[in-house]
Amino acid sequence: MKIVIINSGSSSIKYQLIDMPSGEGICSGMIDRIGLETSNLTYVTDHVKLEEILPIPTHKIGLEKIAKLLMDEAVGVIKSTSEIEAVGHRVVHGGSTFSNTVIINKEVKEKIKQLFDLAPLHNPANLEGINVAEEIFENAQQVAVFDTAFHQTIPVVAHKYALPNYLLTEKKIRVYGFHGTSHKYVSEKALAHLENNSKIITIHLGNGCSMTAIKDGKSIDHSLGFAPSNGLIMGTRSGDIDQSIVFYMVNTLGYTLDSVNSLLLKESGMLGLTGFSDLRDIEANAELGNVDCQLALAMNAYRIKKYIGSYAAVLNGLDAIVFTAGIGENSSYIRKLVCTDMDYFGIKLDESKNEIRSREAREINTADSKTKILVIPTNEEIEIANQVYELLY
């Protein structure tokens, strides 16, 4: 069974063609920096590796480009879209409606659309991916896998806000958690690697960032909440702020609520601090002496450290921390900043191991480090494929 996996993020599209149930990857690739003139496209099979820099202004254009490559006479891996039996879609916010993987129909799409306000950088891109895939792979089953599902095990003491009770019971305002597909995948890999240890913190660092406290394989706390905007400092999102700032900006500075919302989601985070949203640009400029970039990186790592301390308390111990996703897997700079001066938690980084780049799961801690430091490449696409196959078969 051939399944196309589409992970349509806020500024990127990851995709894979996977044969199930073997889990064999036939083709994979990514488009990032969507919306810029210098979007990066990769397309990889056993025989071909294409890399291209070109302007890709929208997700729709990116998905159409991917489909053309899959069926290209020279480098394609399928002759017809009829070979694809299912398309699995990552959908960020399932609200209180979706706690499991579902087959997509008109009603499901409408409910995803109703949740746009809760994930404005993601759910619209997710739905766009679904609509385009329905046109391209018209005979395939379209299936949605929700990021919020893994975090349904967060206990009420952690997922309930200190608001009037009816806002939870009637309006479903609570911590939902996100990046659940990634956190689930890497936590299972980590637990298999650690064998008997059960208290871990997974750190997903990309354009969007989040952390999860995981005990015995279950999510028990998470840095993102009702919508994917709080917690860590992200590419364009501020993460945690004092909510009184919003009222000050509206009532005293004259901002509208819409303008504040846009500022916090699209103009803040690393972009607001440095003028750059891509960490590769920020690190390069920091090395050249850009003080704003140096401070932003330090702030980014400081916020992660605060959550490590908080979650170590929640877990009542710590066996391992796990770095994953684009930044977590590739930025030795950020990992070093996070793991420096963390001896109290038994976190000791081996700097030579930290510089090694690999697609394999690996330890980067010293031999005497009480807490393991793992780098585990996430594979949300394989996790989605597994859930799609389980649902359909």
Side-chain angles (χ1 to χ4, degrees):
M1 177 185 187
K2 290 185 175 71
I3 302 176
V4 171
I5 306 301
I6 296 176
N7 183 344
S8 187
S10 57
S11 62
S12 65
I13 302 169
K14 291 182 181 179
Y15 64 95
Q16 284 194 30
L17 176 58
I18 300 172
D19 182 70
M20 293 297 290
S22 70
E24 178 187 356
I26 300 170
C27 167
S28 65
M30 180 177 181
I31 300 174
D32 66 2
R33 300 191 182 198
I34 291 174
L36 302 180
E37 290 292 315
T38 55
S39 301
N40 298 316
L41 181 148
T42 59
Y43 175 85
V44 181
T45 71
D46 287 341
H47 309 291
V48 175
K49 182 175 182 180
L50 299 179
E51 296 184 23
E52 189 176 357
I53 297 175
L54 71 168
I56 298 182
T58 66
H59 287 73
K60 186 176 190 296
I61 291 172
L63 287 163
E64 289 171 346
K65 178 73 173 176
I66 291 166
K68 288 179 180 178
L69 284 170
L70 290 174
M71 296 182 289
D72 185 86
E73 288 186 4
V75 299
V77 290
I78 59 174
K79 293 182 179 180
S80 167
T81 58
S82 63
E83 296 179 41
I84 306 302
E85 297 180 54
V87 181
H89 298 268
R90 175 203 179 206
V91 179
V92 165
H93 210 310
S96 59
T97 304
F98 301 108
S99 58
N100 294 297
T101 301
V102 297
I103 294 174
I104 296 170
N105 55 28
K106 183 178 180 180
E107 289 72 28
V108 168
K109 289 199 296 180
E110 182 57 36
K111 289 176 181 176
I112 291 171
K113 187 174 182 179
Q114 290 171 7
L115 295 166
F116 276 11
D117 287 344
L118 301 188
L121 296 182
H122 297 88
N123 271 35
N126 302 154
L127 185 58
E128 180 75 2
I130 291 168
N131 289 331
V132 175
E134 286 178 333
E135 295 175 8
I136 297 170
F137 306 103
E138 56 185 359
N139 296 321
Q141 288 270 31
Q142 307 287 329
V143 178
V145 177
F146 295 90
D147 267 8
T148 46
F150 179 60
H151 302 297
Q152 294 299 304
T153 54
I154 295 176
V156 64
V157 68
H159 80 235
K160 185 175 182 179
Y161 292 111
L163 299 170
N165 289 328
Y166 76 89
L167 288 173
L168 172 60
T169 56
E170 298 177 21
K171 305 301 181 181
K172 310 302 180 184
I173 295 177
R174 53 160 289 179
V175 170
Y176 286 104
F178 301 92
H179 299 140
T181 307
S182 175
H183 287 289
K184 182 176 186 292
Y185 179 84
V186 299
S187 65
E188 290 174 350
K189 293 290 184 183
L191 290 172
H193 177 85
L194 296 167
E195 296 179 353
N196 296 324
N197 297 331
S198 63
K199 299 175 181 179
I200 65 175
I201 298 171
T202 51
I203 308 170
H204 177 107
L205 303 177
N207 191 55
C209 303
S210 65
M211 292 172 61
T212 304
I214 298 173
K215 187 173 183 179
D216 299 327
K218 295 182 179 180
S219 172
I220 64 167
D221 207 345
H222 181 74
S223 62
L224 293 170
F226 179 64
S229 57
N230 63 304
L232 306 181
I233 298 172
M234 298 175 245
T236 64
R237 284 166 274 174
S238 66
D240 288 340
I241 64 165
D242 180 345
Q243 65 265 33
S244 63
I245 293 171
V246 175
F247 300 102
Y248 178 77
M249 292 179 71
V250 172
N251 296 329
T252 303
L253 301 183
Y255 284 78
T256 65
L257 281 174
D258 284 344
S259 64
V260 173
N261 186 55
S262 179
L263 183 145
L264 292 176
L265 294 178
K266 300 178 181 180
E267 304 169 36
S268 298
M270 300 301 277
L271 175 64
L273 293 171
T274 69
F276 304 101
S277 62
D278 192 293
L279 195 84
R280 291 166 293 190
D281 297 329
I282 296 169
E283 288 188 4
N285 280 275
E287 290 177 3
L288 294 173
N290 185 306
V291 176
D292 287 340
C293 290
Q294 292 170 351
L295 177 58
L297 290 167
M299 290 172 63
N300 191 306
Y302 182 80
R303 185 77 59 87
I304 295 168
K305 286 185 174 189
K306 287 176 68 175
Y307 271 90
I308 289 174
S310 172
Y311 287 169
V314 168
L315 291 164
N316 191 26
L318 185 59
D319 295 316
I321 61 173
V322 182
F323 289 96
T324 194
I327 293 170
E329 295 166 26
N330 296 304
S331 177
S332 59
Y333 192 109
I334 284 290
R335 293 195 300 261
K336 181 178 178 180
L337 287 178
V338 170
C339 295
T340 298
D341 297 329
M342 294 289 277
D343 307 66
Y344 183 81
F345 296 99
I347 296 172
K348 296 183 180 180
L349 182 73
D350 184 314
E351 293 195 21
S352 61
K353 290 181 180 179
N354 185 41
E355 294 300 326
I356 297 172
R357 294 180 73 109
S358 171
R359 289 301 302 165
E360 301 299 320
R362 62 197 186 277
E363 293 185 12
I364 58 171
N365 50 274
T366 61
D368 64 340
S369 180
K370 180 181 176 182
T371 299
K372 298 288 187 184
I373 309 170
L374 304 178
V375 180
I376 301 180
T378 191
N379 197 326
E380 294 168 288
E381 291 74 28
I382 284 288
E383 180 61 34
I384 291 169
N386 288 335
Q387 293 190 38
V388 170
Y389 186 79
E390 288 173 7
L391 176 68
L392 298 180
Y393 292 91

